Structure formats: C-alpha cells, structure tokens
Amino acid sequence: RGKGFITRLSKYGESVYLGKRHNIIEAFEAYRAAHRKYCNELADRYEGAIDARVIEHLRSYTRHIHD
C-alpha cells in the first residue's frame, strides 16, 4: 500500500480506474493507451455528425508524458 502509481482516465464524465503500476512510465503508457482508445471511440461515435476536422483531430491526438 502506498507504493506505485494509480492510473485513471476521465471517460464520458466518469473517472475510470485503469490500475496501479510500479513506475510512472508504466502508468503513463497505460493512460496513453486508454486515452487513444477513448479518442477513437469518440471519433467513431460522432463521425458524420460533426466536422470532419474534429474527427481527424480525435483520431490523431496523442498525449506526451509532460502534458
């Protein structure tokens, strides 16, 4: 208890627990993978309903550990 890094993502307005990792790099990689998946879900959900530039941005959006 107390050791490690908790990973969470806000998804559809709710906090989603992604797990506890041994180091910050592992925690960030888990977050980045979940964030990528979430952006693609949003792009799929809204494709055809919103501007194509927004969809393209969602599909190409990346996170950096310093963000």
Side-chain angles (χ1 to χ4, degrees):
R1 181 178 172 176
K3 302 244 178 188
F5 296 85
I6 303 261
T7 307
R8 293 183 182 275
L9 174 72
S10 178
K11 186 173 178 180
Y12 301 108
E14 300 289 327
S15 180
V16 177
Y17 177 74
L18 301 173
K20 188 173 186 179
R21 305 296 194 265
H22 296 290
N23 64 59
I24 197 165
I25 302 299
E26 289 177 8
F28 174 71
E29 291 299 328
Y31 168 79
R32 182 165 51 185
H35 186 265
R36 163 81 3 244
K37 184 177 176 183
Y38 178 50
C39 284
N40 282 321
E41 284 178 27
L42 289 174
D44 290 343
R45 182 177 181 178
Y46 292 106
E47 193 164 25
I50 61 175
D51 193 292
R53 293 172 293 184
V54 175
I55 300 301
E56 179 58 31
H57 183 73
L58 282 169
R59 294 200 190 282
S60 64
Y61 191 73
T62 59
R63 299 297 301 201
H64 188 274
I65 199 163
H66 295 292
D67 287 348

Short mmCIF file of all heavy atoms in Angstrom, two decimals:
data_model
loop_
_atom_site.label_atom_id
_atom_site.label_comp_id
_atom_site.label_asym_id
_atom_site.label_seq_id
_atom_site.Cartn_x
_atom_site.Cartn_y
_atom_site.Cartn_z
N ARG A 1 0.84 -1.18 0.00
CA ARG A 1 0.00 0.00 0.00
C ARG A 1 0.88 1.24 0.00
O ARG A 1 1.88 1.32 0.70
CB ARG A 1 -0.90 -0.03 1.23
CG ARG A 1 -1.81 1.15 1.26
CD ARG A 1 -2.72 1.11 2.43
NE ARG A 1 -3.39 2.40 2.40
CZ ARG A 1 -4.31 2.77 3.19
NH1 ARG A 1 -4.71 1.96 4.11
NH2 ARG A 1 -4.86 3.94 3.09
N GLY A 2 0.49 2.23 -0.80
CA GLY A 2 1.24 3.48 -0.84
C GLY A 2 2.35 3.51 -1.87
O GLY A 2 2.84 4.55 -2.20
N LYS A 3 2.75 2.35 -2.36
CA LYS A 3 3.82 2.30 -3.36
C LYS A 3 3.19 2.10 -4.73
O LYS A 3 2.28 1.30 -4.90
CB LYS A 3 4.78 1.16 -3.07
CG LYS A 3 5.40 1.24 -1.71
CD LYS A 3 6.86 1.42 -1.81
CE LYS A 3 7.41 1.53 -0.40
NZ LYS A 3 8.76 1.88 -0.37
N GLY A 4 3.68 2.83 -5.69
CA GLY A 4 3.17 2.68 -7.04
C GLY A 4 2.40 3.91 -7.50
O GLY A 4 2.29 4.91 -6.79
N PHE A 5 1.87 3.81 -8.70
CA PHE A 5 1.19 4.92 -9.34
C PHE A 5 -0.18 4.46 -9.82
O PHE A 5 -0.29 3.51 -10.58
CB PHE A 5 2.01 5.44 -10.53
CG PHE A 5 3.33 6.01 -10.12
CD1 PHE A 5 4.43 5.18 -9.96
CD2 PHE A 5 3.46 7.35 -9.88
CE1 PHE A 5 5.66 5.70 -9.56
CE2 PHE A 5 4.68 7.89 -9.49
CZ PHE A 5 5.78 7.05 -9.33
N ILE A 6 -1.22 5.16 -9.36
CA ILE A 6 -2.59 4.87 -9.77
C ILE A 6 -2.85 5.56 -11.11
O ILE A 6 -2.50 6.72 -11.29
CB ILE A 6 -3.59 5.41 -8.73
CG1 ILE A 6 -3.27 4.82 -7.37
CG2 ILE A 6 -5.02 5.20 -9.18
CD1 ILE A 6 -4.06 3.67 -6.93
N THR A 7 -3.46 4.83 -12.02
CA THR A 7 -3.79 5.38 -13.33
C THR A 7 -5.30 5.49 -13.46
O THR A 7 -6.01 4.52 -13.23
CB THR A 7 -3.23 4.48 -14.45
OG1 THR A 7 -1.85 4.26 -14.22
CG2 THR A 7 -3.41 5.11 -15.80
N ARG A 8 -5.76 6.69 -13.84
CA ARG A 8 -7.19 6.95 -14.04
C ARG A 8 -7.38 7.74 -15.33
O ARG A 8 -6.49 8.47 -15.76
CB ARG A 8 -7.76 7.77 -12.90
CG ARG A 8 -7.79 7.07 -11.59
CD ARG A 8 -8.47 7.95 -10.53
NE ARG A 8 -8.47 7.31 -9.25
CZ ARG A 8 -9.38 6.43 -8.85
NH1 ARG A 8 -10.36 6.11 -9.64
NH2 ARG A 8 -9.30 5.88 -7.66
N LEU A 9 -8.57 7.61 -15.90
CA LEU A 9 -8.94 8.35 -17.10
C LEU A 9 -10.37 8.84 -16.91
O LEU A 9 -11.22 8.09 -16.43
CB LEU A 9 -8.86 7.43 -18.33
CG LEU A 9 -9.34 8.01 -19.65
CD1 LEU A 9 -8.36 9.05 -20.17
CD2 LEU A 9 -9.51 6.91 -20.68
N SER A 10 -10.62 10.08 -17.28
CA SER A 10 -11.99 10.59 -17.28
C SER A 10 -12.62 10.20 -18.60
O SER A 10 -12.14 10.59 -19.67
CB SER A 10 -11.98 12.11 -17.12
OG SER A 10 -13.30 12.59 -17.15
N LYS A 11 -13.68 9.41 -18.53
CA LYS A 11 -14.34 8.90 -19.73
C LYS A 11 -15.84 9.13 -19.61
O LYS A 11 -16.47 8.64 -18.67
CB LYS A 11 -14.02 7.41 -19.87
CG LYS A 11 -14.49 6.78 -21.13
CD LYS A 11 -13.96 5.35 -21.22
CE LYS A 11 -14.48 4.69 -22.47
NZ LYS A 11 -14.00 3.33 -22.60
N TYR A 12 -16.40 9.89 -20.55
CA TYR A 12 -17.82 10.24 -20.54
C TYR A 12 -18.23 10.86 -19.21
O TYR A 12 -19.31 10.60 -18.68
CB TYR A 12 -18.69 9.02 -20.86
CG TYR A 12 -18.40 8.40 -22.20
CD1 TYR A 12 -17.75 7.17 -22.30
CD2 TYR A 12 -18.74 9.06 -23.37
CE1 TYR A 12 -17.46 6.61 -23.53
CE2 TYR A 12 -18.47 8.52 -24.61
CZ TYR A 12 -17.83 7.29 -24.69
OH TYR A 12 -17.54 6.74 -25.91
N GLY A 13 -17.33 11.66 -18.64
CA GLY A 13 -17.61 12.37 -17.40
C GLY A 13 -17.41 11.57 -16.14
O GLY A 13 -17.66 12.07 -15.04
N GLU A 14 -16.97 10.34 -16.25
CA GLU A 14 -16.75 9.48 -15.09
C GLU A 14 -15.27 9.11 -14.99
O GLU A 14 -14.60 8.91 -16.00
CB GLU A 14 -17.56 8.18 -15.22
CG GLU A 14 -19.05 8.38 -15.31
CD GLU A 14 -19.66 8.83 -14.00
OE1 GLU A 14 -19.16 8.43 -12.94
OE2 GLU A 14 -20.64 9.60 -14.05
N SER A 15 -14.78 9.00 -13.78
CA SER A 15 -13.41 8.59 -13.56
C SER A 15 -13.32 7.07 -13.67
O SER A 15 -14.06 6.34 -13.01
CB SER A 15 -12.94 9.03 -12.17
OG SER A 15 -11.61 8.64 -11.96
N VAL A 16 -12.43 6.59 -14.54
CA VAL A 16 -12.25 5.16 -14.76
C VAL A 16 -10.89 4.74 -14.20
O VAL A 16 -9.86 5.29 -14.60
CB VAL A 16 -12.34 4.81 -16.27
CG1 VAL A 16 -12.09 3.33 -16.50
CG2 VAL A 16 -13.67 5.24 -16.83
N TYR A 17 -10.89 3.79 -13.30
CA TYR A 17 -9.66 3.27 -12.71
C TYR A 17 -9.00 2.32 -13.70
O TYR A 17 -9.61 1.37 -14.17
CB TYR A 17 -9.99 2.54 -11.41
CG TYR A 17 -8.81 1.89 -10.74
CD1 TYR A 17 -7.87 2.65 -10.06
CD2 TYR A 17 -8.64 0.51 -10.78
CE1 TYR A 17 -6.80 2.06 -9.42
CE2 TYR A 17 -7.57 -0.09 -10.14
CZ TYR A 17 -6.65 0.69 -9.46
OH TYR A 17 -5.58 0.09 -8.84
N LEU A 18 -7.73 2.58 -14.04
CA LEU A 18 -7.01 1.77 -15.00
C LEU A 18 -5.99 0.85 -14.33
O LEU A 18 -5.35 0.06 -15.01
CB LEU A 18 -6.30 2.66 -16.02
CG LEU A 18 -7.19 3.60 -16.82
CD1 LEU A 18 -6.35 4.53 -17.66
CD2 LEU A 18 -8.16 2.82 -17.68
N GLY A 19 -5.81 0.99 -13.06
CA GLY A 19 -4.90 0.11 -12.35
C GLY A 19 -3.79 0.85 -11.65
O GLY A 19 -3.65 2.06 -11.74
N LYS A 20 -2.99 0.07 -10.95
CA LYS A 20 -1.84 0.60 -10.23
C LYS A 20 -0.59 0.04 -10.90
O LYS A 20 -0.51 -1.16 -11.18
CB LYS A 20 -1.91 0.17 -8.77
CG LYS A 20 -0.88 0.81 -7.88
CD LYS A 20 -1.16 0.44 -6.43
CE LYS A 20 -0.24 1.19 -5.51
NZ LYS A 20 -0.53 0.86 -4.10
N ARG A 21 0.39 0.90 -11.15
CA ARG A 21 1.61 0.50 -11.84
C ARG A 21 2.81 0.71 -10.93
O ARG A 21 2.78 1.52 -10.02
CB ARG A 21 1.80 1.30 -13.13
CG ARG A 21 0.62 1.26 -14.09
CD ARG A 21 0.40 -0.15 -14.61
NE ARG A 21 -0.49 -0.19 -15.76
CZ ARG A 21 -1.78 -0.42 -15.69
NH1 ARG A 21 -2.37 -0.60 -14.54
NH2 ARG A 21 -2.52 -0.48 -16.78
N HIS A 22 3.88 -0.01 -11.23
CA HIS A 22 5.09 0.06 -10.41
C HIS A 22 5.88 1.33 -10.60
O HIS A 22 6.58 1.77 -9.70
CB HIS A 22 6.00 -1.14 -10.69
CG HIS A 22 5.38 -2.44 -10.30
ND1 HIS A 22 5.17 -2.79 -8.98
CD2 HIS A 22 4.89 -3.45 -11.04
CE1 HIS A 22 4.60 -3.98 -8.94
NE2 HIS A 22 4.41 -4.40 -10.17
N ASN A 23 5.80 1.91 -11.81
CA ASN A 23 6.55 3.15 -12.04
C ASN A 23 5.74 4.10 -12.90
O ASN A 23 4.74 3.73 -13.50
CB ASN A 23 7.94 2.87 -12.64
CG ASN A 23 7.86 2.25 -14.02
OD1 ASN A 23 7.31 2.83 -14.93
ND2 ASN A 23 8.44 1.07 -14.18
N ILE A 24 6.20 5.32 -12.95
CA ILE A 24 5.44 6.38 -13.65
C ILE A 24 5.37 6.14 -15.16
O ILE A 24 4.37 6.48 -15.79
CB ILE A 24 6.02 7.77 -13.30
CG1 ILE A 24 5.00 8.84 -13.67
CG2 ILE A 24 7.37 7.98 -13.96
CD1 ILE A 24 5.30 10.19 -13.05
N ILE A 25 6.40 5.53 -15.73
CA ILE A 25 6.38 5.26 -17.17
C ILE A 25 5.29 4.24 -17.51
O ILE A 25 4.52 4.42 -18.45
CB ILE A 25 7.76 4.78 -17.67
CG1 ILE A 25 8.85 5.82 -17.36
CG2 ILE A 25 7.73 4.43 -19.15
CD1 ILE A 25 8.65 7.16 -18.02
N GLU A 26 5.22 3.16 -16.74
CA GLU A 26 4.16 2.16 -16.95
C GLU A 26 2.77 2.78 -16.77
O GLU A 26 1.86 2.48 -17.53
CB GLU A 26 4.32 1.00 -15.96
CG GLU A 26 5.50 0.11 -16.23
CD GLU A 26 5.64 -0.97 -15.17
OE1 GLU A 26 4.74 -1.12 -14.31
OE2 GLU A 26 6.67 -1.67 -15.20
N ALA A 27 2.64 3.62 -15.76
CA ALA A 27 1.36 4.28 -15.51
C ALA A 27 0.97 5.17 -16.69
O ALA A 27 -0.17 5.15 -17.15
CB ALA A 27 1.42 5.10 -14.23
N PHE A 28 1.93 5.94 -17.20
CA PHE A 28 1.64 6.80 -18.33
C PHE A 28 1.30 6.00 -19.58
O PHE A 28 0.38 6.36 -20.31
CB PHE A 28 2.81 7.75 -18.62
CG PHE A 28 2.59 8.55 -19.85
CD1 PHE A 28 1.65 9.56 -19.86
CD2 PHE A 28 3.27 8.26 -21.02
CE1 PHE A 28 1.40 10.29 -21.01
CE2 PHE A 28 3.03 8.98 -22.18
CZ PHE A 28 2.09 9.99 -22.18
N GLU A 29 2.03 4.92 -19.84
CA GLU A 29 1.74 4.10 -21.02
C GLU A 29 0.33 3.51 -20.95
O GLU A 29 -0.37 3.45 -21.97
CB GLU A 29 2.79 2.99 -21.18
CG GLU A 29 4.17 3.49 -21.55
CD GLU A 29 4.22 4.23 -22.87
OE1 GLU A 29 3.45 3.91 -23.80
OE2 GLU A 29 5.04 5.16 -22.98
N ALA A 30 -0.10 3.09 -19.77
CA ALA A 30 -1.47 2.58 -19.61
C ALA A 30 -2.48 3.68 -19.87
O ALA A 30 -3.50 3.47 -20.55
CB ALA A 30 -1.64 2.00 -18.20
N TYR A 31 -2.21 4.87 -19.32
CA TYR A 31 -3.10 6.01 -19.54
C TYR A 31 -3.17 6.37 -21.02
O TYR A 31 -4.24 6.58 -21.58
CB TYR A 31 -2.63 7.22 -18.73
CG TYR A 31 -3.33 8.49 -19.12
CD1 TYR A 31 -4.61 8.76 -18.68
CD2 TYR A 31 -2.71 9.40 -19.98
CE1 TYR A 31 -5.28 9.91 -19.08
CE2 TYR A 31 -3.37 10.55 -20.38
CZ TYR A 31 -4.64 10.80 -19.93
OH TYR A 31 -5.29 11.93 -20.33
N ARG A 32 -1.99 6.45 -21.67
CA ARG A 32 -1.95 6.84 -23.08
C ARG A 32 -2.72 5.85 -23.96
O ARG A 32 -3.47 6.26 -24.85
CB ARG A 32 -0.51 6.97 -23.57
CG ARG A 32 -0.46 7.44 -25.01
CD ARG A 32 0.87 7.91 -25.48
NE ARG A 32 1.95 6.99 -25.21
CZ ARG A 32 3.22 7.28 -25.46
NH1 ARG A 32 3.55 8.45 -25.95
NH2 ARG A 32 4.15 6.40 -25.20
N ALA A 33 -2.58 4.56 -23.70
CA ALA A 33 -3.31 3.55 -24.47
C ALA A 33 -4.83 3.70 -24.27
O ALA A 33 -5.59 3.64 -25.23
CB ALA A 33 -2.85 2.15 -24.08
N ALA A 34 -5.25 3.90 -23.03
CA ALA A 34 -6.68 4.08 -22.75
C ALA A 34 -7.21 5.37 -23.37
O ALA A 34 -8.32 5.41 -23.90
CB ALA A 34 -6.93 4.07 -21.24
N HIS A 35 -6.41 6.42 -23.33
CA HIS A 35 -6.81 7.70 -23.91
C HIS A 35 -6.95 7.58 -25.43
O HIS A 35 -7.92 8.09 -26.01
CB HIS A 35 -5.78 8.78 -23.55
CG HIS A 35 -6.17 10.14 -23.99
ND1 HIS A 35 -5.76 10.68 -25.18
CD2 HIS A 35 -6.96 11.07 -23.41
CE1 HIS A 35 -6.26 11.88 -25.30
NE2 HIS A 35 -7.00 12.14 -24.24
N ARG A 36 -6.03 6.90 -26.08
CA ARG A 36 -6.09 6.68 -27.53
C ARG A 36 -7.38 5.94 -27.89
O ARG A 36 -8.09 6.29 -28.82
CB ARG A 36 -4.86 5.88 -27.97
CG ARG A 36 -4.94 5.24 -29.31
CD ARG A 36 -4.66 6.06 -30.56
NE ARG A 36 -4.28 7.42 -30.40
CZ ARG A 36 -5.00 8.48 -30.82
NH1 ARG A 36 -6.16 8.32 -31.41
NH2 ARG A 36 -4.57 9.70 -30.65
N LYS A 37 -7.69 4.89 -27.13
CA LYS A 37 -8.90 4.10 -27.37
C LYS A 37 -10.15 4.97 -27.19
O LYS A 37 -11.08 4.91 -28.00
CB LYS A 37 -8.93 2.90 -26.43
CG LYS A 37 -10.09 1.98 -26.66
CD LYS A 37 -10.03 0.78 -25.74
CE LYS A 37 -11.25 -0.09 -25.93
NZ LYS A 37 -11.27 -1.22 -25.01
N TYR A 38 -10.16 5.79 -26.16
CA TYR A 38 -11.29 6.67 -25.89
C TYR A 38 -11.47 7.69 -27.02
O TYR A 38 -12.59 7.92 -27.48
CB TYR A 38 -11.10 7.36 -24.55
CG TYR A 38 -12.19 8.33 -24.17
CD1 TYR A 38 -13.53 7.97 -24.22
CD2 TYR A 38 -11.88 9.61 -23.72
CE1 TYR A 38 -14.53 8.86 -23.85
CE2 TYR A 38 -12.87 10.49 -23.35
CZ TYR A 38 -14.19 10.12 -23.42
OH TYR A 38 -15.18 11.00 -23.06
N CYS A 39 -10.39 8.28 -27.49
CA CYS A 39 -10.49 9.25 -28.60
C CYS A 39 -11.06 8.58 -29.85
O CYS A 39 -11.89 9.17 -30.55
CB CYS A 39 -9.11 9.84 -28.91
SG CYS A 39 -8.59 11.08 -27.71
N ASN A 40 -10.65 7.35 -30.12
CA ASN A 40 -11.19 6.63 -31.28
C ASN A 40 -12.66 6.30 -31.08
O ASN A 40 -13.43 6.36 -32.04
CB ASN A 40 -10.36 5.38 -31.57
CG ASN A 40 -9.08 5.72 -32.29
OD1 ASN A 40 -9.03 6.58 -33.16
ND2 ASN A 40 -8.00 5.05 -31.91
N GLU A 41 -13.06 5.96 -29.86
CA GLU A 41 -14.48 5.73 -29.58
C GLU A 41 -15.30 6.99 -29.87
O GLU A 41 -16.38 6.91 -30.48
CB GLU A 41 -14.68 5.36 -28.11
CG GLU A 41 -14.31 3.97 -27.74
CD GLU A 41 -14.49 3.72 -26.24
OE1 GLU A 41 -15.34 4.39 -25.60
OE2 GLU A 41 -13.77 2.86 -25.72
N LEU A 42 -14.79 8.13 -29.42
CA LEU A 42 -15.50 9.39 -29.67
C LEU A 42 -15.57 9.69 -31.16
O LEU A 42 -16.61 10.13 -31.66
CB LEU A 42 -14.81 10.54 -28.93
CG LEU A 42 -14.94 10.54 -27.42
CD1 LEU A 42 -14.08 11.64 -26.81
CD2 LEU A 42 -16.39 10.70 -27.00
N ALA A 43 -14.47 9.48 -31.86
CA ALA A 43 -14.45 9.72 -33.31
C ALA A 43 -15.47 8.84 -34.01
O ALA A 43 -16.22 9.31 -34.88
CB ALA A 43 -13.05 9.49 -33.87
N ASP A 44 -15.51 7.56 -33.64
CA ASP A 44 -16.48 6.64 -34.25
C ASP A 44 -17.92 7.06 -33.93
O ASP A 44 -18.79 7.03 -34.79
CB ASP A 44 -16.26 5.21 -33.75
CG ASP A 44 -14.98 4.59 -34.26
OD1 ASP A 44 -14.40 5.10 -35.25
OD2 ASP A 44 -14.55 3.58 -33.66
N ARG A 45 -18.12 7.47 -32.69
CA ARG A 45 -19.47 7.85 -32.24
C ARG A 45 -20.01 9.08 -32.98
O ARG A 45 -21.20 9.15 -33.30
CB ARG A 45 -19.43 8.11 -30.75
CG ARG A 45 -20.75 8.46 -30.14
CD ARG A 45 -20.60 8.62 -28.65
NE ARG A 45 -21.86 8.94 -28.03
CZ ARG A 45 -22.04 9.10 -26.75
NH1 ARG A 45 -21.03 8.94 -25.92
NH2 ARG A 45 -23.21 9.41 -26.25
N TYR A 46 -19.14 10.06 -33.23
CA TYR A 46 -19.60 11.33 -33.79
C TYR A 46 -19.28 11.51 -35.27
O TYR A 46 -19.63 12.54 -35.84
CB TYR A 46 -19.01 12.49 -32.99
CG TYR A 46 -19.59 12.55 -31.60
CD1 TYR A 46 -18.86 12.17 -30.49
CD2 TYR A 46 -20.90 12.97 -31.40
CE1 TYR A 46 -19.40 12.22 -29.22
CE2 TYR A 46 -21.46 13.02 -30.14
CZ TYR A 46 -20.70 12.64 -29.05
OH TYR A 46 -21.26 12.68 -27.80
N GLU A 47 -18.65 10.53 -35.90
CA GLU A 47 -18.33 10.65 -37.32
C GLU A 47 -19.62 10.84 -38.13
O GLU A 47 -20.59 10.14 -37.95
CB GLU A 47 -17.59 9.40 -37.82
CG GLU A 47 -16.96 9.59 -39.17
CD GLU A 47 -15.93 8.53 -39.47
OE1 GLU A 47 -16.01 7.43 -38.91
OE2 GLU A 47 -15.04 8.83 -40.28
N GLY A 48 -19.61 11.84 -38.99
CA GLY A 48 -20.78 12.16 -39.78
C GLY A 48 -21.70 13.16 -39.10
O GLY A 48 -22.56 13.76 -39.75
N ALA A 49 -21.54 13.35 -37.80
CA ALA A 49 -22.40 14.27 -37.06
C ALA A 49 -21.70 15.60 -36.77
O ALA A 49 -22.37 16.60 -36.54
CB ALA A 49 -22.85 13.64 -35.75
N ILE A 50 -20.38 15.58 -36.78
CA ILE A 50 -19.60 16.80 -36.53
C ILE A 50 -18.55 16.97 -37.62
O ILE A 50 -18.31 16.05 -38.41
CB ILE A 50 -18.95 16.80 -35.12
CG1 ILE A 50 -17.98 15.64 -34.97
CG2 ILE A 50 -20.00 16.78 -34.04
CD1 ILE A 50 -17.21 15.65 -33.66
N ASP A 51 -17.96 18.12 -37.65
CA ASP A 51 -16.97 18.47 -38.67
C ASP A 51 -15.87 17.40 -38.78
O ASP A 51 -15.34 16.94 -37.77
CB ASP A 51 -16.35 19.83 -38.30
CG ASP A 51 -15.55 20.42 -39.43
OD1 ASP A 51 -14.50 19.86 -39.76
OD2 ASP A 51 -15.98 21.46 -39.96
N ALA A 52 -15.53 17.05 -40.00
CA ALA A 52 -14.51 16.03 -40.26
C ALA A 52 -13.15 16.40 -39.68
O ALA A 52 -12.36 15.51 -39.32
CB ALA A 52 -14.39 15.78 -41.76
N ARG A 53 -12.87 17.70 -39.55
CA ARG A 53 -11.59 18.12 -38.96
C ARG A 53 -11.51 17.73 -37.49
O ARG A 53 -10.43 17.38 -36.99
CB ARG A 53 -11.40 19.62 -39.12
CG ARG A 53 -11.22 20.03 -40.59
CD ARG A 53 -11.23 21.53 -40.73
NE ARG A 53 -12.59 22.00 -40.39
CZ ARG A 53 -12.98 23.25 -40.48
NH1 ARG A 53 -12.14 24.20 -40.87
NH2 ARG A 53 -14.21 23.60 -40.19
N VAL A 54 -12.63 17.77 -36.80
CA VAL A 54 -12.66 17.36 -35.39
C VAL A 54 -12.41 15.85 -35.29
O VAL A 54 -11.63 15.39 -34.45
CB VAL A 54 -14.00 17.74 -34.72
CG1 VAL A 54 -14.07 17.21 -33.30
CG2 VAL A 54 -14.21 19.24 -34.78
N ILE A 55 -13.04 15.10 -36.17
CA ILE A 55 -12.85 13.65 -36.19
C ILE A 55 -11.39 13.32 -36.46
O ILE A 55 -10.79 12.48 -35.78
CB ILE A 55 -13.76 12.98 -37.25
CG1 ILE A 55 -15.24 13.25 -36.94
CG2 ILE A 55 -13.47 11.49 -37.37
CD1 ILE A 55 -15.73 12.76 -35.61
N GLU A 56 -10.78 13.99 -37.42
CA GLU A 56 -9.37 13.76 -37.75
C GLU A 56 -8.48 14.09 -36.55
O GLU A 56 -7.53 13.37 -36.25
CB GLU A 56 -8.97 14.58 -38.97
CG GLU A 56 -7.52 14.43 -39.36
CD GLU A 56 -7.11 12.99 -39.67
OE1 GLU A 56 -7.96 12.22 -40.15
OE2 GLU A 56 -5.94 12.64 -39.40
N HIS A 57 -8.80 15.18 -35.87
CA HIS A 57 -8.01 15.56 -34.69
C HIS A 57 -8.14 14.49 -33.60
O HIS A 57 -7.14 14.12 -32.97
CB HIS A 57 -8.46 16.92 -34.16
CG HIS A 57 -7.65 17.40 -33.01
ND1 HIS A 57 -6.37 17.85 -33.14
CD2 HIS A 57 -7.94 17.45 -31.69
CE1 HIS A 57 -5.90 18.18 -31.94
NE2 HIS A 57 -6.85 17.94 -31.05
N LEU A 58 -9.33 14.00 -33.37
CA LEU A 58 -9.52 12.95 -32.37
C LEU A 58 -8.71 11.70 -32.73
O LEU A 58 -8.09 11.08 -31.88
CB LEU A 58 -11.00 12.57 -32.25
CG LEU A 58 -11.86 13.50 -31.45
CD1 LEU A 58 -13.34 13.15 -31.64
CD2 LEU A 58 -11.49 13.45 -29.98
N ARG A 59 -8.72 11.34 -34.00
CA ARG A 59 -8.00 10.13 -34.43
C ARG A 59 -6.49 10.29 -34.38
O ARG A 59 -5.78 9.31 -34.23
CB ARG A 59 -8.44 9.73 -35.83
CG ARG A 59 -9.88 9.30 -35.90
CD ARG A 59 -10.17 8.46 -37.13
NE ARG A 59 -11.59 8.24 -37.31
CZ ARG A 59 -12.31 7.34 -36.63
NH1 ARG A 59 -11.74 6.61 -35.72
NH2 ARG A 59 -13.59 7.19 -36.87
N SER A 60 -6.00 11.51 -34.46
CA SER A 60 -4.55 11.71 -34.48
C SER A 60 -4.00 12.28 -33.17
O SER A 60 -2.80 12.48 -33.04
CB SER A 60 -4.17 12.64 -35.64
OG SER A 60 -4.73 13.91 -35.46
N TYR A 61 -4.86 12.53 -32.20
CA TYR A 61 -4.45 13.14 -30.94
C TYR A 61 -3.54 12.21 -30.15
O TYR A 61 -3.81 11.01 -30.04
CB TYR A 61 -5.69 13.48 -30.11
CG TYR A 61 -5.39 14.36 -28.92
CD1 TYR A 61 -5.09 15.69 -29.09
CD2 TYR A 61 -5.41 13.85 -27.64
CE1 TYR A 61 -4.81 16.52 -28.00
CE2 TYR A 61 -5.15 14.65 -26.55
CZ TYR A 61 -4.84 15.99 -26.74
OH TYR A 61 -4.56 16.78 -25.67
N THR A 62 -2.47 12.75 -29.63
CA THR A 62 -1.56 11.96 -28.80
C THR A 62 -1.29 12.69 -27.50
O THR A 62 -1.46 13.91 -27.41
CB THR A 62 -0.22 11.70 -29.52
OG1 THR A 62 0.39 12.95 -29.83
CG2 THR A 62 -0.41 10.91 -30.78
N ARG A 63 -0.87 11.95 -26.51
CA ARG A 63 -0.51 12.52 -25.23
C ARG A 63 0.99 12.34 -25.04
O ARG A 63 1.56 11.35 -25.47
CB ARG A 63 -1.24 11.80 -24.09
CG ARG A 63 -2.74 11.86 -24.14
CD ARG A 63 -3.27 13.24 -24.02
NE ARG A 63 -2.85 13.86 -22.79
CZ ARG A 63 -3.43 14.89 -22.20
NH1 ARG A 63 -4.51 15.39 -22.75
NH2 ARG A 63 -2.98 15.40 -21.11
N HIS A 64 1.61 13.30 -24.38
CA HIS A 64 3.02 13.22 -24.04
C HIS A 64 3.13 13.21 -22.53
O HIS A 64 2.31 13.81 -21.84
CB HIS A 64 3.77 14.43 -24.63
CG HIS A 64 5.24 14.33 -24.48
ND1 HIS A 64 5.90 14.75 -23.36
CD2 HIS A 64 6.18 13.83 -25.32
CE1 HIS A 64 7.19 14.53 -23.50
NE2 HIS A 64 7.38 13.97 -24.69
N ILE A 65 4.13 12.57 -22.02
CA ILE A 65 4.27 12.42 -20.58
C ILE A 65 4.37 13.79 -19.88
O ILE A 65 4.04 13.92 -18.71
CB ILE A 65 5.46 11.52 -20.22
CG1 ILE A 65 5.31 11.01 -18.78
CG2 ILE A 65 6.78 12.21 -20.48
CD1 ILE A 65 6.17 9.82 -18.45
N HIS A 66 4.77 14.83 -20.59
CA HIS A 66 4.90 16.16 -19.98
C HIS A 66 3.63 17.01 -20.13
O HIS A 66 3.61 18.14 -19.68
CB HIS A 66 6.09 16.91 -20.59
CG HIS A 66 7.39 16.25 -20.27
ND1 HIS A 66 7.91 16.20 -19.01
CD2 HIS A 66 8.25 15.58 -21.06
CE1 HIS A 66 9.05 15.54 -19.02
NE2 HIS A 66 9.28 15.17 -20.26
N ASP A 67 2.56 16.47 -20.73
CA ASP A 67 1.30 17.20 -20.88
C ASP A 67 0.63 17.40 -19.54
O ASP A 67 0.69 16.63 -18.66
CB ASP A 67 0.32 16.47 -21.80
CG ASP A 67 0.74 16.56 -23.26
OD1 ASP A 67 1.63 17.36 -23.57
OD2 ASP A 67 0.16 15.82 -24.06
#
